[in-house]
Amino acid sequence: LVGIDDYNEFWNTSYTKCAREKAEGKLPRHHECRHQKEYDPRTDKGVGTDFWNGKLDTDKCTERMDKARKLFKEKFPEF
């Protein structure tokens, strides 16, 4: 994913790392540590990503499919 260097760290450990650094005084006290979520059905949005925002919106679904097709074509141009 663009802008995410370590997928596992981003989704699974970034909150814990942030909270630890905040407790150790490495981050300002007012810094907000967030649990990343690909999609939250209550808000119809992601936290840390916007890919699934508007999950059932037809135009946004088309946009997501276009992005996926483009990435697939870049990765596997022979198909």
Side-chain angles (χ1 to χ4, degrees), residues 33-45:
C33 297
R34 299 185 317 170
H35 285 282
Q36 311 296 347
K37 295 180 186 178
E38 280 189 273
Y39 182 74
D40 182 345
R42 292 176 292 123
T43 62
D44 192 29
K45 294 180 179 181

Side-chain angles (χ1 to χ4, degrees), residues 15-74:
Y15 177 82
T16 304
K17 180 181 174 185
C18 177
R20 183 178 57 247
E21 289 179 358
K22 189 174 174 180
E24 293 170 352
K26 295 178 182 176
L27 294 171
R29 217 177 321 171
H30 63 275
H31 183 83
E32 179 185 354
C33 297
R34 299 185 317 170
H35 285 282
Q36 311 296 347
K37 295 180 186 178
E38 280 189 273
Y39 182 74
D40 182 345
R42 292 176 292 123
T43 62
D44 192 29
K45 294 180 179 181
V47 177
T49 182
D50 61 3
F51 185 80
W52 288 110
N53 291 5
K55 187 176 177 182
L56 300 178
D57 181 286
T58 303
D59 292 335
K60 290 182 180 184
C61 287
T62 300
E63 184 180 326
R64 283 189 286 272
M65 286 302 301
D66 289 345
K67 286 179 182 180
R69 287 185 186 106
K70 182 180 179 216
L71 286 172
F72 187 87
K73 188 71 173 170
E74 289 172 7

